[in-house]
Amino acid sequence: MNLKLQQAEFRPQLLINGKLQDASDGKTFALYNPATREKVADVPEATADDVNAAVAAAKAAQPAWAKSSPDDRAKCFKKFAALLREHSDELAHLEAISMGRPVKSYFDAYAAASEFEHYAEAWATIQGQASINTPGFLTMTLRQPFGVVAAIIPWNVPILFLGHKCAPSLITGNTVVLKSSEKAPLTSAKVAELVNEAGFPPGVFNIISGHGMPSGAMLSSHMDVRALSFTGSCRTGRLIQEAAAKSNLKKVVLELGGKSPSLIFEDANIEKAVKDTAHSLQWNSGQVCMANSRIYVQKSIAPKFIEAFKTHFAKVNHGDPTKQETDMGPQADEVQYKNVTRYLEEGKKSGTLALGGTGKLETMNGYFVEPTVFLDVPEDAKIQKEEIFGPVANINTFETESEALAKANDTEFGLYASVYTKDIDRAIRVAKALESGYVGVNCTSPQTARDLPFGGYKASGQGREGYLHSMDNFLETKSVIISIAEDGL
Ligand code: NAD
């Protein structure tokens, strides 16, 4: 396998007030290709001054942007969408060399482009309401932007999240400061180059790179940031919520982690259930918030399901993420690799290892992890309770529907759950009982629908994103009551 991947061909910079620039103190951090461990770029580490400059630029640009015709805003959106599509191959390559995402499954640029196109047309649905239910008054509500919005995104599907957050916040008249993840900053930096070309006025759409400290934390506690949309871990979500509470009580939307269950009943289409559940854990090397990492199979079909799952899961083409034939790349970086391999060792102590179980750093010279299956994992084991974020399936069995539900719901997470059965009554009963923001019936993650709300129950998050829901996250509601002189009647 040839893992000699080329050096990124551009120099990542911050976009602040329409200017591409280095960090104010010139500092950078090194980014390494997880498949080869070669350095691919020096990335600017935004300083406190950079964060303040980006927020100040966004604040200064916001009134004029909010006053502009939504049609004019939409023009930038459409140009931007076209540019994202045009640069999709380059973005796919940058993601592959920075966090190991196979180019074969790269869809983010097209998805983000569709998002900008959707919101370019959706502005007319930003509507308040009016009534004459209060005698002597006309009452109405106005929907208005918050002002400056911060978007903090993770590394696993960066440009998709950039689209999810920036398109609805910008079309509603807010201005934005987006911070990319330190593990996958190259695609956001590339997108920063396209912002001016699309015609966004300076200061409207700012993009910075850096670690949680200082830039992420500063955005969370910044007094001029009025709303913050975050996707990432529960740990960081809590810190952001706390920083928001301690500063200006900014509105916070949180899309957090998961430990998603999939319930396979004995009347299910086993072949489909095997294919779907294995794909859910292989996609992006299992680094997906909604991956079905806990699989529960009814006892009567367990031997058949487990054999088929192991065969299917092991078959994956593991290797160089820049190659079209690769299905599964490495874990995103050394930290992720160490986390996952630590969980593998934990798993060997608590469950029964049925497939894989090792990291391949020694043999492949990159952060690759074998597709791994554990059986009979105690429900209170660390690997059953915590998010592993790797290609690791825990398969347990159950006898009855109520037992399956009790096990599925015995978690602090609640992002995605799925049920496989041909019994329509059971499917609906189980879908109702699962404590989860999303339920797949005879399908599982990453299957979603763009017009459905996405978000978590319990510690998996707060708020919902989706084509019909995201604009609400970035709009205040103002009530206006107008006294009507009725003397003339
Ligand atoms: P992370 O929480 O480590 O980092 C996410 C972002 O937060 C990064 O940009 C990081 O720099 C920033 N950050 C770190 N510390 C911060 C702080 N103190 N203040 C503000 N920002 C800070 O998460 P990650 O490892 O990048 O992503 C993986 C996690 O994201 C997993 O838990 C996964 O389940 C979750 N995720 C959730 C969804 C969803 O839609 N619910 C989608 C994808 C990923």
Side-chain angles (χ1 to χ4, degrees):
M1 183 193 325
N2 172 22
L3 287 180
K4 211 72 192 127
L5 305 181
Q6 73 207 66
Q7 175 103 3
E9 279 157 17
F10 81 105
R11 194 161 75 85
Q13 289 191 296
L14 313 173
L15 178 69
I16 298 176
N17 204 18
K19 287 195 202 76
L20 288 164
Q21 56 195 68
D22 295 333
S24 58
D25 62 2
K27 288 221 172 91
T28 57
F29 60 93
L31 187 75
Y32 296 92
N33 181 332
T36 62
R37 297 191 288 160
E38 287 165 359
K39 187 161 129 182
V40 289
D42 289 306
V43 182
E45 176 75 59
T47 62
D49 285 348
D50 293 324
V51 174
N52 284 331
V55 174
K59 190 176 177 186
Q62 197 268 332
W65 178 247
K67 255 190 233 155
S68 66
S69 146
D71 250 354
D72 287 339
R73 286 178 235 155
K75 276 182 206 143
C76 307
F77 273 48
K78 288 183 180 167
K79 180 87 194 289
F80 190 60
L83 289 166
L84 286 171
R85 288 208 175 90
E86 203 182 297
H87 288 84
S88 176
D89 288 348
E90 193 181 346
L91 291 166
H93 179 75
L94 291 174
E95 218 69 279
I97 63 169
S98 55
M99 54 70 70
R101 175 87 171 276
V103 292
K104 181 181 177 179
S105 59
Y106 191 78
F107 68 98
D108 308 26
Y110 273 71
S114 299
E115 195 113 19
F116 276 90
E117 276 163 353
H118 164 75
Y119 288 107
E121 298 292 344
W123 58 263
T125 62
I126 305 170
Q127 298 263 341
Q129 60 193 47
S131 102
I132 47 170
N133 293 331
T134 308
F137 295 91
L138 168 66
T139 67
M140 64 173 84
T141 59
L142 305 178
R143 306 302 311 277
Q144 293 181 303
F146 277 83
V148 178
V149 167
I152 302 183
I153 58 172
W155 47 268
N156 59 346
V157 205
I159 298 308
L160 184 70
F161 293 122
L162 180 145
H164 278 357
K165 297 180 190 310
C166 298
S169 53
L170 287 166
I171 202 65
T172 43
N174 300 279
T175 51
V176 170
V177 179
L178 174 124
K179 190 195 88 62
S180 61
S181 162
E182 61 278 14
K183 292 184 202 284
L186 299 187
T187 44
S188 297
K190 180 69 216 171
V191 166
E193 292 185 356
L194 309 178
V195 166
N196 289 341
E197 213 179 322
F200 287 101
V204 165
F205 193 173
N206 306 275
I207 297 182
I208 61 174
S209 51
H211 288 76
M213 288 291 176
S215 51
M218 269 204 74
L219 285 171
S220 316
S221 58
H222 207 293
M223 294 301 286
D224 286 334
V225 171
R226 295 290 168 191
L228 189 154
S229 180
F230 171 74
T231 297
S233 64
C234 293
R235 190 192 143 273
T236 308
R238 281 177 218 270
L239 291 173
I240 288 175
Q241 184 81 294
E242 202 180 316
K246 284 186 178 156
S247 55
N248 59 353
L249 272 176
K250 56 181 65 62
K251 176 173 179 174
V252 174
V253 177
L254 302 172
E255 295 286 353
L256 308 176
K259 192 74 186 173
S260 298
S262 185
L263 312 187
I264 323 290
F265 285 88
E266 60 192 0
D267 62 345
N269 176 339
I270 297 185
E271 205 182 318
K272 182 172 192 310
V274 163
K275 226 171 111 202
D276 290 359
T277 50
H279 175 66
S280 175
L281 283 159
Q282 271 162 350
W283 195 81
N284 214 8
S285 305
Q287 302 169 130
V288 182
C289 52
M290 53 182 160
N292 50 215
S293 48
R294 293 183 298 140
I295 301 174
Y296 293 100
V297 192
Q298 202 154 20
K299 237 176 200 152
S300 51
I301 55 156
K304 190 172 170 194
F305 179 90
I306 291 165
E307 266 328 292
F309 186 93
K310 277 165 50 185
T311 309
H312 198 81
F313 205 39
K315 245 184 359 215
V316 69
N317 197 352
H318 210 183
D320 180 346
T322 63
K323 295 268 184 295
Q324 273 303 337
E325 66 269 18
T326 299
D327 304 312
M328 201 167 111
Q331 305 312 119
D333 69 357
E334 186 180 9
V335 176
Q336 287 305 120
Y337 179 81
K338 284 188 171 159
N339 279 346
V340 176
T341 48
R342 202 175 315 118
Y343 278 118
L344 296 183
E345 293 315 309
E346 288 272 348
K348 287 174 197 167
K349 285 182 225 146
S350 48
T352 305
L353 180 67
L355 181 76
T358 45
K360 291 176 153 182
L361 181 59
E362 304 295 319
T363 49
M364 290 177 77
N365 195 36
Y367 299 120
F368 296 90
V369 170
E370 281 184 313
T372 296
V373 176
F374 289 111
L375 306 176
D376 308 320
V377 183
E379 289 300 321
D380 61 354
K382 219 172 155 65
I383 61 159
Q384 190 74 342
K385 287 282 175 229
E386 297 178 10
E387 194 178 28
I388 298 176
F389 233 52
V392 183
N394 295 346
I395 307 182
N396 279 355
T397 58
F398 66 88
E399 308 232 32
T400 64
E401 186 178 309
S402 57
E403 181 193 352
L405 277 170
K407 287 178 170 171
N409 286 338
D410 184 17
T411 171
E412 274 309 300
F413 294 109
L415 194 57
Y416 197 114
S418 60
V419 49
Y420 283 80
T421 179
K422 288 191 187 126
D423 178 342
I424 182 75
D425 293 316
R426 174 154 56 202
I428 303 297
R429 248 187 344 258
V430 170
K432 272 175 69 185
L434 284 164
E435 295 165 3
S436 175
Y438 224 103
V439 176
V441 175
N442 294 320
C443 62
T444 185
S445 64
Q447 186 62 58
T448 51
R450 284 184 286 186
D451 59 348
L452 276 180
F454 186 90
Y457 273 30
K458 304 200 270 192
S460 285
Q462 247 175 53
R464 294 293 181 269
E465 290 182 328
Y467 270 24
L468 305 180
H469 307 84
S470 291
M471 288 196 302
D472 276 342
N473 291 332
F474 304 110
L475 288 165
E476 287 276 28
T477 300
K478 179 182 285 171
S479 293
V480 179
I481 183 160
I482 305 164
S483 171
I484 313 162
E486 308 235 358
D487 306 350
L489 291 178

